[in-house]
Amino acid sequence: MHGRACIVFALCLPPTQPGAFANPQVIGQLQAGVWTSVGGPGTSTREYPLTELGRQRYESFRLDQDPSLQCIPPGMPRGFSPRSPMDFAFHGNTLTIRYETMDVVRIIAMDGDPPPPYAPHTPNGRSVGHWDGDTLVIDTTHLSAGEVNRNGIPKSERMTIRETYDVEERDGAMVVLIRMTLTDPENFTEPATQTEMFEYRPDWELLPFECNVTEY
Amino acid sequence: MRIPAIATPFPIPVILAVLAVAPVRAHHSSVPWYDLNADQITVSGVVKEFQFINPHVYIIIDVAGADGAVEEWRLESTSRNRMVRTGWTEDSIKPGQTVTATGFPAWKGNGVDTEEIIVDHGTLVWRRE
């Protein structure tokens, strides 16, 4: 009897239930086209509370070790470089996010199970997404060690990333606010957060990057 | 494709003008190669080569010093894709044209991380956003 009531009143599921409220309108907005970074008040707050080990790693990083200088995509969270245009495509239970810079492609398993512990650690890690109301939430684990940014803020294999995406209208333009929380017990004393704002550009399309290694 | 390094590692700079302009950028992908805390410099010369590529666009110019000696300079800009969206193409600059560029000097060698590029005294202008 209880099961029948749940079928009839399916909308009474709590908003944190994965997939419960995948709003087609929001999906349509995200898939509308290319989004590009814009500045603005309250965006790009980046402070990294480094542990002693994190500080040592940061100070020992040489700027010319930046993998992007060799056209090697540095992976998340740098995969979503604030300067890189990107787009979204939902297909069934898969979300694909493409970033123009370095031709990076991320695959997000919507409502997927967490990856098994033995899954390999990779630059972009393993990402699982779900909807919390109209907010797209992406959790990423299994990252390989590297750098959070080109200045050498370190990331370890224990880093996890939570991203939330909210589509809003601001000053007549459609924007998506992306909030990231980086948790890394090896390198950060507490989670580090940052917020980026991207604007919808209906007249743009993603262009191939075709990176060239530069010798200095 | 690999881009050759500047041939002369420690040349004497042939700087036509030096401007005391405060740095406006906190960071850039070229940080290892340019001193973003230095005063910006301006160089002018004749285009030898225009490399319209990612991740950065380069203009190679010949700069004539007061003594008539010519030195090669490499001007670095933003990505090809960003310049495409402002209307630039691989034909925007041709050898023989005059370019004046302002930006941050390379730590070594004749290089500038450009903030502004002026072609043929203003027929084409690019400024970093």
Side-chain angles (χ1 to χ4, degrees):
Chain A
M1 191 67 180
H2 176 71
R4 180 175 297 175
C6 282
I7 292 172
V8 173
F9 300 105
L11 292 178
C12 70
L13 288 170
T16 54
Q17 178 79 21
F21 293 102
N23 186 334
Q25 181 180 352
V26 177
I27 290 177
Q29 290 171 323
L30 282 172
Q31 291 190 134
V34 174
W35 301 79
T36 189
S37 172
V38 292
T43 66
S44 288
T45 54
R46 297 176 189 146
E47 294 183 2
Y48 301 100
L50 296 177
T51 62
E52 178 60 22
L53 178 59
R55 187 187 61 77
Q56 290 173 9
R57 287 170 170 164
Y58 170 66
E59 291 180 350
S60 65
F61 180 76
R62 294 196 345 258
L63 294 173
D64 60 2
Q65 293 174 324
D66 180 353
S68 69
L69 297 173
Q70 299 300 315
C71 293
I72 300 171
M76 287 296 292
R78 279 185 65 186
F80 119 98
S81 164
R83 305 295 287 179
S84 176
M86 62 180 176
D87 67 9
F88 302 81
F90 291 84
H91 297 288
N93 290 327
T94 299
L95 163 61
T96 302
I97 305 178
R98 298 189 304 159
Y99 305 89
E100 181 174 281
T101 301
M102 302 277 180
D103 300 308
V104 170
V105 177
R106 284 178 73 198
I107 305 296
I108 288 89
M110 295 301 296
D111 301 335
D113 293 327
Y118 54 80
H121 288 248
T122 61
N124 280 337
R126 293 280 288 267
S127 298
V128 176
H130 71 271
W131 291 95
D132 182 358
D134 287 345
T135 300
L136 171 64
V137 182
I138 300 175
D139 290 304
T140 299
T141 61
H142 292 76
L143 292 156
S144 52
E147 292 77 43
V148 167
N149 61 20
R150 61 174 62 97
N151 294 327
I153 296 295
K155 68 172 180 178
S156 75
E157 290 192 345
R158 298 169 64 190
M159 173 173 279
T160 60
I161 304 172
R162 167 158 285 200
E163 300 155 77
T164 64
Y165 294 73
D166 291 285
V167 178
E168 300 178 4
E169 184 177 324
R170 291 196 176 190
D171 300 326
M174 190 161 63
V175 302
V176 58
L177 283 176
I178 305 173
R179 300 175 177 88
M180 302 184 74
T181 302
L182 313 179
T183 302
D184 186 344
E186 278 190 27
N187 294 308
F188 300 160
T189 59
E190 59 186 80
T193 61
Q194 68 185 66
T195 302
E196 305 286 348
M197 186 164 67
F198 280 62
E199 184 178 57
Y200 171 54
R201 295 300 299 262
D203 53 333
W204 283 23
E205 63 180 53
L206 290 187
L207 303 173
F209 199 72
E210 301 171 313
C211 188
N212 295 264
V213 175
T214 303
E215 292 180 356
Y216 286 85
Chain B
M1 176 179 179
R2 300 178 76 86
I3 301 159
I6 294 171
T8 51
F10 300 103
I12 300 171
V14 183
I15 302 173
L16 300 185
V18 178
L19 302 178
V21 179
V24 295
R25 280 186 291 145
H27 64 268
H28 181 258
S29 58
S30 307
V31 161
W33 321 115
Y34 300 96
D35 183 359
L36 302 192
N37 292 314
D39 290 338
Q40 292 187 33
I41 62 174
T42 296
V43 297
S44 292
V46 178
V47 175
K48 289 180 65 177
E49 186 179 354
F50 181 42
Q51 300 171 348
F52 199 56
I53 58 175
N54 286 317
H56 298 116
V57 170
Y58 296 94
I59 308 170
I60 312 301
I61 63 173
D62 278 336
V63 176
D67 59 356
V70 174
E71 289 190 322
E72 184 178 285
W73 280 69
R74 182 164 73 170
L75 313 176
E76 179 170 330
S77 179
T78 187
S79 71
R80 176 195 65 188
N81 289 15
R82 293 180 67 82
M83 295 189 83
V84 162
R85 291 192 169 102
T86 61
W88 282 60
T89 72
E90 60 187 1
D91 296 321
S92 290
I93 297 180
K94 297 185 182 305
Q97 288 186 294
T98 301
V99 164
T100 299
T102 299
F104 297 98
W107 290 108
K108 64 178 184 179
N110 293 341
V112 181
D113 188 25
T114 55
E115 293 289 316
E116 180 185 76
I117 298 170
I118 299 173
V119 182
D120 281 347
H121 310 289
T123 58
L124 183 63
V125 175
W126 172 84
R127 292 187 179 89
R128 191 177 295 276
E129 298 173 13

